[in-house]
Each structure stands twice: as C-alpha cells, then as structure tokens.
Amino acid sequence: MKIIYFRKIDNLYKYNQNHKIESGKYHCLYFGNKNRYVTRLLNDLKLKVYFPTDFNVDKEDFKHNYLSLIDNLTSTFSNKYWWATETVSKFRSPLLVLLHKFQIVLSVVEKYQPEKLIVIDEEIIFERLLYHYSIKENVEFICPFMNVRKVICKIKVIILFYFKMIRSFVGLIYKIFLCRYYFKEKLKNQSTQKKYVIIKSFAYERSFVNKNQYVDPFFGNLSAYLIQNKHNVMSVVSCLGNYKKIIKKLFNIENIVYPCELFISPLKLIITFIKVITLRLKVKENIYFNKINLSQFINEYLSLNKVNELSLNQTLYFDSMNRMLKIFKSEIFISTYENMPWEPMCYLGIKDASPETKIIGCQHTVVSEFSTNYFLYDNELKNRQLPDKICTVGPVTKRIIERNCGYNHPPIESACALRYQHLKQEDVRFRRNKRKILVALEGIDDVYKLVNYVCNELSQNDNIEIIIRPHPILPLSKIDKNIDIDYTKLNYVKISSNDSITKDLEKVSVVIYRESAVALEAIAFGIPVVCFNSYPTISYDPLFELTDFKWNVDESIRIKPILDEIFNLDDQFFNQSKQKAKLYINNYFNKCTDDNMSVFTHA
C-alpha cells in the first residue's frame, strides 16, 4: 500500500499530468472545502473521491479512544506545567480533530484496502501523523517537499513561540505595575485576619453598573447570598477586554475585587518565564490510539503545536493564587470549572499555600456531547489537581459528566444556574410576520463558518432579516478575514450591540447557532432553534439530546426551506413542541433558590 499526500487539489492535478491516475488502483480522500472549482477538477480526473461525511465514525468509540490516549499521556509527565497545556485540557483541542481525520483514513484502509490512497489536506501536522503511521505500518509514504516543509514549519514555530512568550512577559510586567499602582494601598488596608470565601471570576468592561458596583457575569448573586449568610466575601478576577479601563473601574467599586495579576511577584514572573520557555515535553512510553502506537507523533505534535500548547499567563495562576492564599485566609475558594489550562495551576497553588481551603468548582454553562474537557479517566482523576466538589447548573449536566468520567471523580452535586438567573421562562410572542433570525456566535475562531453559511444561503430576496450576535470575547472584526461576504454592505444584515441577550431574543422568531448556550435561552423564551453542524462526528451542540423545537442543518442543507417550515408551523404542533423543549430546559437549569445556592458553601 502507498499513501500519497497533497496539501491542495492543484497538487493532485499536477501529479496526474506526470502519473496517469487509474481509478481502479487509486482511492482519494479529500478533507478540504468542497466548492465548484474543486468539484470540476475532481470530475475531470474521473477519480473516486471520498469526503469525511461519507464515513460514519462511531462517536462513542472514537471519543473513548481519544480520552484513553490523553489519560495514558498523563502518566508520562511529572512536571506540573503539563497540566497547563492545551492537550491535557482537551478544550477544543486540534488533536481531537486530527485524530478524527485519522480515524476516517483508517476506515478507508479497512473498508477498501486501497493499493494507492491519495489524501488531500492542508495541515502539516496531519501530514506528520500519516507519516508516523506509515512507518509503524510499513506503508510507503509520498509527500512532495515533505522535509522542506517540516524544517520551515519548525523554524516558524520557534520564532512564533518566543515572540508570544516575550510579548506575554512584557504585557504581564505592565499589568503587574498597573495593579500595584492602583491597588497597593487598598491591599494594605484589607483585613488579613478574617476568613474569606474567595470567588475566582472574570470582569468585562460591561461588568459594572452605576460606576461603583461590579456585577459578576459568571456567579450572579452568589456573592450577595454569601454576605447575607454572614460570610466574608472577596473576588479575584481575570480581566477580559481593555485591561486599563477594567482596572480603573475595579479600583472605584465598592465590592472587594482584585485582579489576579496583583498577586504575581516580578521575581516569580521571571522564574516562570524561564521554566516555560525551557520546558520540553517528551513522551517516553508507548501511547496508543485505536491500537496504533502514536508516541513518536505525539512528541512531534507537542513540538509543532508549541505556540498554542502553553500560555505564560495561564501557568502563572499557580504563583498568583499561591501568594494570595499566603496573604489572606480562605475557608472556601469557588471558581468556574471547565478544566481550562489555568484551573489545575490555580488549584495547585491554593493547596500548596493552604491545604485546608476547600475548593468548589462551578460548572457554569452547558456540556455537549464532545465537551471532552469535562470528561476525565482514572489516570487524570488520580494525578490532576481537581476541586474538592463540583457544582453543576442542574441535573442534566451532572448526568452527562458522570456518564463520561472514571469512577474516582470528586463529588458532583446539582446546584443552580448562576449565570442564567435572567431566564424567567416567559414566552416571547412568536412573530411569524417578522421574518427575523438571530445568529448566535460562540467565542471560537472558526465560528466564521456559521456566518458564511447563513450569509451565503440567504439574500435580500428572501425577505429575512439577519441579526448577528458576536460573543463578548470575539468581535466580528477578529474573524472578518475569513468571512466570504462583506456583510457591512448588506442592509438585511445587522450586528447586535446589545449587552442583554433578552433584547435580541425579543426581536426575532428563530435562533440559529452552532455551539452557543444562547440556544437554551432561546427555547426558555419560547423561540425555536436551528443548529448548524460543522463537523460530521464531533458535536459541540449543547442541545444534542433535544429533538423537539429544534432543527439541524449542515453545509449541504439549504436553510431557507427550513426557516419557511418553521414560520409556517401549525399552531398546535408549534405549541406542543415548545412545551416539550421547555421541560428539558427547566430540567437543565436549576433555579437559584437559597437551598440550591447553599450547595456552594457545603464542601
């Protein structure tokens, strides 16, 4: 067997000019975007071509193989900074997508046993995966300019990695200076004798009202509840947005809220910087995926993905929280819980400084079928620093996490949806005569695919107004370069600037989403939803269990007939579907009663 790898469809066309491709001997697997140009070239070649959507990969089996691989990796690393890597976090890791592509290649090999397999994909890391697979399986591997591309890529990675680290280092010096300038006296006057419940949260520029009050966007009224129940409360926040503006607002508020960088020592910053840039992660044991040894590939992957693998800001949470707990006494530490890279560093720092402090992790949003960051197997559960208890937004997410985890998980309790207290479970009147849709975006870079899909599918002649709601951490300006159409020139496309999601929901009849939790809010308000699936197997749809009041589309499905169907639904069917869906949402999000909020204080 021979694997021939090309980055672009044009390379295949040139290859055919020198080597006549015979359809009986060749099979082709194409991972690129399918458009008219690609279709024409493939038709000219008269070659049997397969696309990822042609293969049904068993979701549960694939997910188990991926989680097992990461679980086994955890036993090979003893350095604490391993826990701050993107790979072990498993939050939207590119490794998951690479392995899914690899699984499809294995499916082609098993099903067709091709003499010659052409694979077309632009990612060099996927090329390296197939190269290492070929060596292990004694398969001939051909890739034009393979060694040259590898050298260029490695040089590029090194340059970008050091640039990123130096930039982060300089930025942190600035943030530390700014924090000390504003908060040095405030910190001196803060009582260190009291025992605090410390809440680790976040602050946006919009997280303030009346210029002197901080409104926690993740924990809602939990602080007020704790104060009412005689707890001393302090918050420490990560600032998302214009740092200087947020710091100034924090300085002027009445609440006790400090930025995380205030507790970073300049000396610790230098030491951590040196440790991170000199860190070498190398697998020394055999690591298997689907019974294939990928240890050598994993080493190369960690090297080529170095730019994204580690963040100086995230690793410094150990020193920041460690120093804070040496200044202040804390009976309970509450933080968001998603197994993001900063979380184990934060928890390690707390337990090192104050072992008696109880850590409560708050699963604060949705959990999808492939929220693998929440799904931990036994080696991870044994070695990773975790909260002493995990509180979920309700019974649904508790069930999903428990179903996908090993046996030694910390206690998980169903608490309440602190971020969703604004949901009043009231119907927004369904406006059939107002053909307006809301496109709800999540804060992930490739969300531009949803924007492209909707804008390419609908035109002014469809008489449908499109309202696009960007995520707070990802304005449209950051993904503009990947959007096919200049939406600023389309009078039927509007960009929402509302802080409140309720204001947008009140204007529309349908919500289109990909992975956003806005879908759950829409159903709570009585608005039907359409989920855009951009991956054939890997689903981040938070409503993956729901079948009522919800439609599914992908790039091959026209959206206008779906919208027309929704606009013209029979009243009886519409109301029945709505009630079934709302029952699911009611079960998903527990109300923030005193009993439910008390779960956060009982460690």
Side-chain angles (χ1 to χ4, degrees), residues 14 16 30-31 37 41 72 81 138 201 225 227 250 256 275 318 345 391 414 447 457 521:
K14 291 176 183 177
N16 183 54
Y30 181 73
F31 287 102
Y37 174 70
L41 286 181
N72 291 329
Y81 293 132
N138 295 317
S201 190
Y225 166 82
I227 292 171
L250 286 174
I256 306 173
K275 286 182 177 180
F318 176 90
M345 302 307 295
C391 298
S414 177
V447 74
E457 283 289 313
E521 300 180 73

Side-chain angles (χ1 to χ4, degrees), residues 292-466:
I292 296 171
N293 186 355
L294 293 185
S295 55
Q296 292 303 313
F297 164 70
I298 294 295
N299 282 329
E300 189 160 4
Y301 171 81
L302 292 172
S303 174
L304 291 176
N305 195 47
K306 196 173 184 179
V307 177
N308 303 312
E309 204 63 60
L310 272 173
S311 160
L312 182 61
N313 300 60
Q314 305 219 49
T315 54
L316 277 163
Y317 272 89
F318 176 90
D319 301 299
S320 175
M321 298 299 103
N322 189 272
R323 186 162 178 260
M324 181 182 71
L325 267 292
K326 287 178 179 177
I327 297 173
F328 298 108
K329 298 174 183 177
S330 175
E331 54 180 336
I332 297 174
F333 181 91
I334 303 173
S335 80
T336 53
Y337 174 75
E338 294 178 277
N339 276 326
M340 301 295 278
W342 64 267
E343 291 176 25
M345 302 307 295
C346 172
Y347 303 154
L348 284 167
I350 291 167
K351 288 298 185 181
D352 179 75
S354 178
E356 69 278 4
T357 298
K358 298 298 181 183
I359 300 174
I360 309 293
C362 175
Q363 179 273 311
H364 58 92
T365 182
V366 296
V367 179
S368 71
E369 193 174 13
F370 269 81
S371 290
T372 50
N373 46 307
Y374 289 107
F375 308 153
L376 310 178
Y377 280 12
D378 290 337
N379 282 330
E380 284 187 89
L381 293 169
K382 178 181 176 182
N383 297 305
R384 176 192 281 267
Q385 181 64 61
L386 291 162
D388 296 296
K389 184 174 74 172
I390 296 165
C391 298
T392 67
V393 296
V396 173
T397 53
K398 177 181 184 293
R399 170 174 50 79
I400 296 171
I401 293 173
E402 288 179 334
R403 187 178 66 206
N404 287 277
C405 283
Y407 293 108
N408 299 315
H409 209 286
I412 303 177
E413 290 190 41
S414 177
C416 57
L418 294 166
R419 287 184 64 184
Y420 299 95
Q421 296 180 61
H422 60 281
L423 293 183
K424 298 178 182 179
Q425 301 295 319
E426 294 178 359
D427 285 347
V428 173
R429 184 170 58 85
F430 186 61
R431 298 171 172 82
R432 297 176 195 268
N433 60 328
K434 291 189 177 180
R435 297 165 65 87
K436 294 184 179 181
I437 63 173
L438 178 68
V439 181
L441 308 183
E442 69 274 14
I444 307 296
D445 289 339
D446 70 346
V447 74
Y448 69 85
K449 294 178 181 179
L450 173 56
V451 179
N452 284 337
Y453 170 74
V454 174
C455 290
N456 286 326
E457 283 289 313
L458 299 175
S459 68
Q460 175 126 17
N461 295 331
D462 294 318
N463 295 318
I464 296 175
E465 183 177 321
I466 303 168

Side-chain angles (χ1 to χ4, degrees), residues 226-240:
L226 293 170
I227 292 171
Q228 183 181 343
N229 284 271
K230 313 302 180 185
H231 292 281
N232 300 308
V233 180
M234 176 193 303
S235 293
V236 56
V237 298
S238 302
C239 303
L240 303 176

Side-chain angles (χ1 to χ4, degrees), residues 202-209 213-217 249 253:
F202 299 84
Y204 301 102
E205 289 179 57
R206 67 185 191 204
S207 301
F208 303 88
V209 295
Q213 186 178 357
Y214 165 70
V215 178
D216 194 320
K249 289 183 177 182
I253 63 174

Side-chain angles (χ1 to χ4, degrees), residues 2 4 6 10-23 25-26 44-47 116 118 140 142-144:
K2 180 187 293 185
I4 307 165
F6 297 119
D10 293 335
N11 301 132
L12 172 62
Y13 203 73
K14 291 176 183 177
Y15 177 84
N16 183 54
Q17 293 174 344
N18 299 319
H19 306 78
K20 187 178 179 181
I21 296 177
E22 299 174 18
S23 59
K25 293 183 178 180
Y26 287 85
D44 289 346
L45 291 172
K46 297 180 181 178
L47 179 66
K116 296 176 182 179
I118 297 171
E140 185 180 353
I142 298 174
C143 177

Side-chain angles (χ1 to χ4, degrees), residues 124-139:
I124 187 173
I125 301 183
F126 189 49
E127 171 202 300
R128 303 309 300 164
L129 172 53
L130 294 182
Y131 167 76
H132 287 287
Y133 162 71
S134 299
I135 291 176
K136 295 291 183 185
E137 299 298 314
N138 295 317
V139 171

